[in-house]
Amino acid sequence: MVLPDVANETLTRARPSASVIVPADGRGVDRAARLLAGGGIAALPTETVYGLAADATNGEAVARIFEAKRRPRFNPLICHVDGPAMARRFARFGDLAERLADRFWPGPLTLVVPLAEGAAIHPLVTAGLDTVAVRMPRGVARDVIAALGSPVAAPSANRSGRISPTTARAVRDSLGDEAPLILDAGPARVGVESTIIDLSGDRPVCLRPGGIALADIEQVIDQPVTRADADAAISAPGMLRSHYAPGLPVRLNATDVRPGEALLAFGSGRIAGAGSAVAGVNLSPSGDLTEAAANLFAMLDELDRSGAAAIAVMTIPADGLGEAINDRLARAAAPRETP
Ligand code: TXA
Ligand code: MG
């Protein structure tokens, strides 16, 4: 691909320029692909959350992601592909990986598999591991990858340790000018990150519950998936306990709203004190977990800005997508850790 002016501009300027939000139409896709081809970074919509993307084979470009996010370098990134064929260029797919990709790609499922010998993926992407996390996203991000012709490393487009962005606006609020180009495709449909399944060991292990329910995965591979221990920091280096933290303290399974608190409600039930909450929003008045997942990060962010002293969260069922929602809420409520 020819090196375009826009990429040169980004590379030679000492300070990042003001970020621009452009529609995720054909021109936007082209512009993002050219920027990535020139070693730049761009924020792209995926069906789960917005990602901050770079060419996964270009170490300097990938380093820019870590700088923009202030992300610790021991935390590896997901490689996004435009289809299974691109994945097989650098990753070793066994029978279970083939079955899962066949059933759930494109979609919110990331597979951790052995890295192929001599793969062109830069070691910064995998943090030097001999495995690689791979996912085929839906829609615009996939179009950009196809135009680039190369796998794209992309973590969620937020400052490390903060809430993942589900809108272009939230990307800009979190990263400011560090994301030079943001493609806007409206609110992300799924709203929580992909489910991560590690297939590199003897048994499949879930490293992060996410947009695909574990029960659906178990049905396709016809065997149980082990849940990674919440403290198993080695197998999922990025899963710091306090990840996804809003600024305010979060109180889970609230059965009342205390003075000064904002309320994150779920379902049609009412709890004591709800009427005097500083602010109140409902993840899904009808109790639909898919709707709740889609609303989760934007609503946490909204309450975070409400001027309340803390956020009280009602109980959310743990089945289906509820597992991912409860995982993110538990991290939001955990004591803060420095990444
Ligand atoms: O939905 C998503 O997965 C979004 C969108 C943008 O695709 N991406 C995302 O990326 O959530 P990120 O970087 O926020 O989370 C990736 C997780 C991290 O916890 C990281 O430690 C883990 O994947 N990971 C990446 N490569 C790994 C590997 N080889 N082994 C184990 N865990 C890995
Ligand atoms: Mg993230």
Side-chain angles (χ1 to χ4, degrees), residues 72-97:
R73 292 205 178 198
F74 59 76
N75 188 1
L77 307 176
I78 295 172
C79 278
H80 297 69
V81 295
D82 66 355
M86 184 183 274
R88 286 191 209 98
R89 285 181 359 209
F90 61 88
R92 293 216 314 269
F93 269 48
D95 172 50
L96 294 187

Side-chain angles (χ1 to χ4, degrees), residues 117-136:
E117 198 126 335
I121 301 299
H122 194 275
L124 251 186
V125 174
T126 55
L129 299 171
D130 55 9
T131 56
V132 60
V134 196
R135 152 164 134 80
M136 176 188 181

Side-chain angles (χ1 to χ4, degrees), residues 91-163:
R92 293 216 314 269
F93 269 48
D95 172 50
L96 294 187
E98 293 287 354
R99 268 150 75 183
L100 288 171
D102 189 54
R103 171 66 182 81
F104 295 113
W105 282 6
L109 176 66
T110 295
L111 302 173
V112 174
V113 294
L115 188 63
E117 198 126 335
I121 301 299
H122 194 275
L124 251 186
V125 174
T126 55
L129 299 171
D130 55 9
T131 56
V132 60
V134 196
R135 152 164 134 80
M136 176 188 181
R138 215 174 258 286
V140 174
R142 180 191 178 186
D143 295 343
V144 174
I145 299 161
L148 179 67
S150 181
V152 157
S156 48
N158 52 281
R159 279 285 149 86
S160 190
R162 309 303 300 207
I163 293 173

Side-chain angles (χ1 to χ4, degrees), residues 21 30 38 43 72 134 203 244 248 257 265 275 288 291 295 319 329 333:
I21 298 181
D30 261 16
V134 196
R203 290 169 303 153
Y244 312 101
L248 295 180
V257 180
D288 175 353
E291 181 184 19
N295 285 330
D319 57 309
L329 285 171

